[in-house]
Amino acid sequence: MESNYSYVDENLKLIRENVGEAAEKCGRKAEDIRIMAVTKTVAPEIVNHAIELGLDLLGENRVQEYLSKAEAYSPAEVHFIGGLQTNKVKYIIKSVSMIQSVDSLKLGTEIDRLAAKHGRVMDILCEVNIGGEESKGGVAPDKLREFIAQLAQLKNIRIKGLMTIPPPSQSDVFLGRMQELYNDLRDNKIEGADMQVLSMGMTHDYAEAVKYGSTLVRIGTGLFGARDYSRK
Ligand SMILES: *Cc1c(COP(=O)(O)O)cnc(C)c1O
């Protein structure tokens, strides 16, 4: 595959540099921050180019689109990161290694049920609506502990941390609040919920997110360029 896609090489190089720099500035190690390629609207051959460059984690938002592309992908780990309807869990339960967007007990219960049926335990993150925005999914911060305590009862899911999409303006304020929530859950542990992953930071705020303790940044536009919604 000779590179028509060399812009991806350059973008990834820049992202790695920025993550490294942001990490260094706050005394963290770049290896502790995982870079996810968010694939929505991006053709599988371009995604595969990113995988060849060493990106080993894909983020999928939409069940239909994922299913239509999954077979064409080179081997990589896949996390589901989009809004997920309970009746769609069955389509992804076998092939993804983590569901980052769990924000209701109903959804958690269905993941647990289907994971058991397939003889596996599913890693999940709880999505937090840190900005209290109506248009977004996620659990309200003041309901989070109770929510996690309920999820922790389910034996076929493993709670690994938190995910958020902060409001685009003042994102540093919200990133800071997420860090506080995450640290509090780590320091005042809920039995059955290990805080290992703090998934936050997108193209416009990933360097900021690293400063606030993110362990996984999810990058679409910054890696693949502006999305073209006319193609799927
Ligand atoms: C689209 C998307 C991203 C990536 O957004 P960019 O701004 O393109 O980097 C990250 N996380 C989620 C949940 C998304 O839907």
Side-chain angles (χ1 to χ4, degrees), residues 138-180:
V139 180
D142 61 341
K143 301 271 159 49
L144 186 61
R145 279 195 83 86
E146 187 192 345
F147 177 58
I148 291 178
Q150 288 172 325
L151 283 182
Q153 303 298 313
L154 303 170
K155 296 293 173 248
N156 297 285
I157 62 178
R158 201 160 30 212
I159 304 160
K160 296 284 232 181
L162 306 179
M163 184 271 251
T164 198
I165 308 171
S169 65
Q170 286 185 292
S171 83
D172 58 335
V173 171
F174 295 106
L175 294 168
R177 286 190 196 154
M178 278 302 295
Q179 183 174 37
E180 282 171 25

Side-chain angles (χ1 to χ4, degrees), residues 99-172:
I99 299 175
Q100 294 202 358
S101 44
V102 178
D103 64 354
S104 75
L105 194 56
K106 185 170 171 236
L107 179 58
T109 303
E110 178 65 356
I111 295 169
D112 178 69
R113 185 183 76 81
L114 287 172
K117 192 172 155 192
H118 287 93
R120 66 173 299 182
V121 176
M122 179 62 81
D123 287 346
I124 64 138
L125 302 182
C126 298
E127 181 173 352
V128 181
N129 190 342
I130 196 66
E133 295 169 287
E134 251 170 55
S135 61
K136 281 181 187 159
V139 180
D142 61 341
K143 301 271 159 49
L144 186 61
R145 279 195 83 86
E146 187 192 345
F147 177 58
I148 291 178
Q150 288 172 325
L151 283 182
Q153 303 298 313
L154 303 170
K155 296 293 173 248
N156 297 285
I157 62 178
R158 201 160 30 212
I159 304 160
K160 296 284 232 181
L162 306 179
M163 184 271 251
T164 198
I165 308 171
S169 65
Q170 286 185 292
S171 83
D172 58 335

Side-chain angles (χ1 to χ4, degrees), residues 36 38 40 61 81-82 127 163-165 201-204 218-223 225 227 229:
M36 164 189 279
V38 176
K40 56 185 182 257
N61 283 76
I81 61 172
E127 181 173 352
M163 184 271 251
T164 198
I165 308 171
M202 309 181 6
T203 296
H204 69 281
R218 309 180 308 263
I219 309 204
T221 319
L223 184 63
R227 282 185 276 280
Y229 283 102

